[in-house]
Amino acid sequence: MPSGTNLPWVGGFNRTVILAEIRRRPDGLSRVELAERTGLTPQTVSNIVRRLLRDELVTESGRVPSAGGKPRTNVRLNAPAYYAVGIHLDPDVTSCVVVDLSGQVIRRSHRQGSSIDEPARTVRSLATQIRRLTARADIPAERVLGLGVACPGPIDRERGMVVEPPNLPRWHEVPLVTELREATGLPVLLDNDATAAATGERWVGGTSHTGDCVFLYFGAGIGCGLVLGGQVYRGAMGNAGEFGHMTIDSRGPECFCGNRGCLEASVSPQALVAEAGRLSSRRSTSLELTGDPARVADDYDHLCQQANGGDRLANAVLDRAAGRVGLAATNLVNLLDVGHIILGGRGLRYCGERFRNAIDVAVNGRTIARHMRHARVEMSVIGEDAGAIGAASLILDGAYSPTVSNLLERHEEKTHA
């Protein structure tokens, strides 16, 4: 867990340390427990809790017995004090959620086919969608902290720009942050969808999701969010975690990114539907796939449901895909030395356990450190809307999480004051 410091120039950092400890424990913590967990003095903890109470970020709730003294008052997160909006732009469906401070979804909506719209039209539609959602939730405008956006990469996070995602062919160097800020009047943050999902998992997952992990995100493509050294890792340009473009066969099928043999070229919903269609046409049985490029998501869901129903061809297609992902995940674990893998996204709606089992078997049977530890492989706690919930969590995490960058920035401000 992060430790605080009693130096006055990092008072804001200490505030986020205290709030993070409170947030991870729904039943709350006493001030004494907060001091023990953070290493801060009781006086520092009391001062910070007083300010958090004043700002309505926490509430006092219930008393717990104390050894040899009066009962202690628990402090817990005041989840409905503030809210954040999250949007996930995906080629198949655009998702929008409103979450409270705990990351719990208050309202959600989905719209099919984000990739068929021009960016300007999409921005107008999203602004309308956000106004409707917050109105239905009866949330005052001043209680909305901001808007997070998750999008397939590559992105330019520093400039708030969607560069040219292969899965969104009409989106070329779109200044999405600026356009959405002007359309909604909200502060806006942009991130890769898998990275956003990893952020959301940490925010909502509580004490069991505070360490290093890899979040494998399955949507129209496949990517991963990385949490290393207790911090979300984005890379030099904000595009770390392009798991789907790991080359698994240099002579494999051509990928829409321009390379050959990418993992995504073999295991994306589009690739699996195409493979199943080819195999089905050569045999007497048929999976009854539409083959319509505009209905890939429906065909993929049907393929997964047929596999669950015992169809041999569908099972073979999905088992091969799960095996490929398992081998790629093994390489990832060998490279990063992480012991926790989380799976989420809409692409796992009907086949999550199949992929989880395959990755578990591969990682714990093949990695170099397999005799030293058993890697945890589990499904996401935020489910198929991981991209949108993660996007909203970008706002919450940016405002209220203790980060190394925040600590260094405050130190630098004090040094140059």
Side-chain angles (χ1 to χ4, degrees), residues 201-220:
E201 192 74 19
R202 292 178 75 228
W203 188 269
V204 178
T207 55
S208 65
H209 288 66
T210 57
D212 291 0
C213 71
V214 168
F215 189 108
L216 297 183
Y217 181 81
F218 293 72

Side-chain angles (χ1 to χ4, degrees), residues 58 62 91 171 312 316:
V58 301
W171 292 64
R312 293 178 60 185

Side-chain angles (χ1 to χ4, degrees), residues 369-389:
R370 62 187 180 276
H371 300 300
M372 300 170 62
R373 62 140 181 250
H374 183 89
R376 280 193 294 156
V377 183
E378 56 189 10
M379 301 302 297
S380 166
V381 298
I382 55 178
E384 64 183 69
D385 277 335
I389 297 171

Side-chain angles (χ1 to χ4, degrees), residues 324-338:
R324 291 175 184 133
V325 175
L327 291 177
T330 300
N331 292 333
L332 196 62
V333 171
N334 276 336
L335 180 66
L336 300 176
D337 191 25
V338 293

Side-chain angles (χ1 to χ4, degrees), residues 17-29:
V17 169
I18 292 291
L19 189 61
E21 286 297 323
I22 296 171
R23 177 176 56 79
R24 292 178 186 133
R25 290 164 177 81
D27 293 334
L29 291 167

Side-chain angles (χ1 to χ4, degrees), residues 3 54 75 78 94 106 143 181 272 274 345 386:
S3 292
R54 179 197 65 198
V75 181
N78 184 19
T94 297
I106 306 303
R143 294 288 175 171
R181 185 171 58 234
L272 296 179

